[in-house]
Amino acid sequence: MKISIGIPFFNAELYLADSIKSVIKQSFNDWELILVDDGSTDQSLDIAKSFAEKDSRIRLISDGNNKKLPARLNQIIQESKYDYVARMDADDLIHPDRLKIQIEFLEKNPEFDLVSTGVVSINDINQIRGIRCVNSIYTDFSIVKRNYPIVHASVLARKSWYNRNKYDVSLPRSEDFELWCRTISNSDLKLAVLPEALYYYREEGLVTYEKLKRSYEDGLKVYRKYSGNPNMKVIIGTKLRTLLIFILNKLNLIQKMANLRNRKYLDPKLVSYHARIINEIISK
């Protein structure tokens, strides 16, 4: 069993090297890494080239175009050589045991096609800001809802599932939510969310009003399309959140709202553990 890992990147020169390092330092070694440039204009492409030249497991794809994330994710699926496909964002990190834990779960549980994990929120200098995860393995994806406890970038899936469920390239801000809703409506989302926090998500300072607004608007369109019988509370709640972020943006409080998603209390031992893991990843 082997895994194809895809990292699409666009102007990620500040973090791309560390993201790649976190793949190289995986305890599971049977992988290929596909780096897909989405028309970067900074030094990202040079960074990617330097890693590809040193490790034969790393492939670089660059066509000079800016096609956006959904198109690049479909490209990664098409380019992948192996039966399992994982992804991550170019400014994030992954726990050294992420791939090992996820592939062992899918191998032991053939009734599932995908597995996701919890997330550790970090800022631009790798400080831990919060942890979001389920308390136990979560598998209830029976109905279309507005939110799911799925960390998109942490997903590992069987390639056979992706081959029949591609991303919608018309929704660059809600491609994951559309995919979940569409496959649930087709009774084809056999996904398990693990309670372990195995993905380091760099979000503090990167949340913007425009991104949130587009996500809310596109997400509501997707919900209306696939829910069958939309819940008015969900529709009204989404519209109110859109209004709220407009007000918070005027008050320069968008980031504080985003931080509320994280746990208010962090176990010092847990923070120390993840801080050590992060330091091990980014060290040379």
Side-chain angles (χ1 to χ4, degrees):
M1 55 184 180
K2 296 184 178 182
I3 299 174
S4 295
I5 310 159
I7 301 180
F9 63 91
F10 172 74
N11 290 351
E13 63 180 4
L14 294 178
Y15 308 110
L16 181 58
D18 286 341
S19 295
I20 297 172
K21 286 181 188 177
S22 72
V23 175
I24 293 173
K25 294 186 178 182
Q26 288 294 292
S27 57
F28 180 91
N29 293 315
D30 290 333
W31 49 260
E32 66 164 345
L33 175 59
I34 306 169
L35 302 174
V36 182
D37 175 43
D38 195 35
S40 296
T41 57
D42 64 357
Q43 298 302 309
S44 297
L45 189 55
D46 290 335
I47 293 169
K49 286 179 179 177
S50 68
F51 279 94
E53 290 170 355
K54 298 173 186 175
D55 193 324
S56 61
R57 297 173 297 177
I58 300 175
R59 282 194 284 145
L60 173 61
I61 298 173
S62 179
D63 55 23
N65 298 317
N66 182 241
K67 297 182 178 180
K68 306 300 181 185
L69 181 59
R72 295 307 185 183
L73 293 177
N74 286 336
Q75 184 178 10
I76 286 168
I77 295 163
Q78 182 178 359
E79 291 281 346
S80 60
K81 296 178 181 178
Y82 303 132
D83 293 335
Y84 292 95
V85 180
R87 63 161 301 243
M88 65 178 292
D89 290 332
D91 52 355
D92 298 335
L93 306 169
I94 55 177
H95 188 283
D97 291 328
R98 173 199 166 181
L99 297 182
K100 176 179 179 291
I101 291 172
Q102 288 184 296
I103 198 167
E104 286 181 352
F105 179 87
L106 289 182
E107 284 285 297
K108 293 177 182 177
N109 299 276
E111 68 272 24
F112 291 100
D113 292 313
L114 310 92
V115 59
S116 177
T117 76
V119 62
V120 178
S121 175
I122 59 176
N123 64 10
D124 58 351
I125 56 173
N126 299 314
Q127 293 175 327
I128 296 168
R129 293 307 194 200
I131 298 175
R132 300 195 298 277
C133 57
V134 295
N135 294 322
S136 58
I137 296 177
Y138 183 94
T139 61
D140 183 12
F141 297 101
S142 57
I143 61 173
V144 172
K145 299 188 295 186
R146 187 61 187 88
N147 294 291
Y148 302 103
I150 307 171
V151 179
H152 180 212
S154 79
V155 167
L156 171 69
R158 302 182 194 277
K159 183 176 179 179
S160 57
W161 185 87
Y162 270 132
N163 282 338
R164 63 179 184 267
N165 296 297
K166 298 296 175 60
Y167 289 93
D168 185 339
V169 298
S170 70
L171 294 166
R173 289 301 308 165
S174 298
E175 77 287 338
D176 53 335
F177 181 64
E178 192 279 336
L179 184 61
W180 313 145
C181 290
R182 174 165 30 102
T183 51
I184 287 173
S185 66
N186 294 331
S187 300
D188 195 19
L189 188 64
K190 306 300 187 295
L191 186 152
V193 180
L194 305 183
E196 293 92 341
L198 302 175
Y199 193 90
Y200 298 99
Y201 179 41
R202 199 180 306 278
E203 59 184 338
E204 183 171 312
L206 300 179
V207 177
T208 67
Y209 167 68
E210 289 301 326
K211 287 181 180 180
L212 287 174
K213 180 175 180 289
R214 181 70 180 273
S215 293
Y216 286 157
E217 291 175 345
D218 286 355
L220 186 56
K221 291 178 184 177
V222 170
Y223 173 75
R224 286 177 180 271
K225 178 179 179 179
Y226 291 107
S227 64
N229 184 25
N231 186 316
M232 287 307 298
K233 288 184 178 180
V234 173
I235 294 173
I236 293 172
T238 303
K239 289 182 178 296
L240 288 175
R241 282 194 293 273
T242 304
L243 176 60
L244 176 62
I245 63 170
F246 173 79
I247 296 171
L248 291 175
N249 183 57
K250 293 296 183 181
L251 299 174
N252 295 317
L253 295 174
I254 283 286
Q255 189 58 56
K256 286 189 176 182
M257 184 204 73
N259 290 344
L260 292 176
R261 293 186 299 174
N262 296 318
R263 289 184 177 177
K264 294 182 179 179
Y265 170 75
L266 287 174
D267 184 339
K269 291 184 179 179
L270 198 57
V271 172
S272 177
Y273 166 75
H274 284 295
R276 176 176 59 81
I277 293 295
I278 291 172
N279 287 333
E280 291 175 357
I281 290 171
I282 64 178
S283 63
K284 292 185 178 180

